[in-house]
Amino acid sequence: MCSHQPPCPTADSPQHRSAVIVSAHPEQGWSLLCNGTIVFDDTGELLPDGRVVSPHRRPAALVVAA
């Protein structure tokens, strides 16, 4: 799918999120990368083969009022 030089990492590569964005939809919270991966604003992913990668953000810190 990628025609960039050097080619972007494949969806199976550990660096797959560094692929070029070919379609961005920030109003909907997702972007399509040139390797076929869909990345979501919550850090979740949908890989081209249908596998789902759950969001991996750290939980928000508990704020205690003084």
Side-chain angles (χ1 to χ4, degrees):
M1 186 173 201
C2 179
S3 60
H4 304 99
Q5 291 300 325
C8 291
T10 65
D12 294 334
S13 168
Q15 296 86 16
H16 67 274
R17 287 186 66 101
S18 65
V20 173
I21 295 173
V22 295
S23 183
H25 296 275
E27 72 284 358
Q28 296 176 356
W30 63 275
S31 296
L32 174 64
L33 305 181
C34 70
N35 60 13
T37 301
I38 298 173
V39 293
F40 297 95
D41 289 351
D42 69 356
T43 70
E45 303 171 12
L46 180 59
L47 301 176
D49 63 5
R51 288 182 291 148
V52 174
V53 177
S54 297
H56 52 274
R57 291 188 300 178
R58 300 169 103 186
L62 178 62
V63 177
V64 178

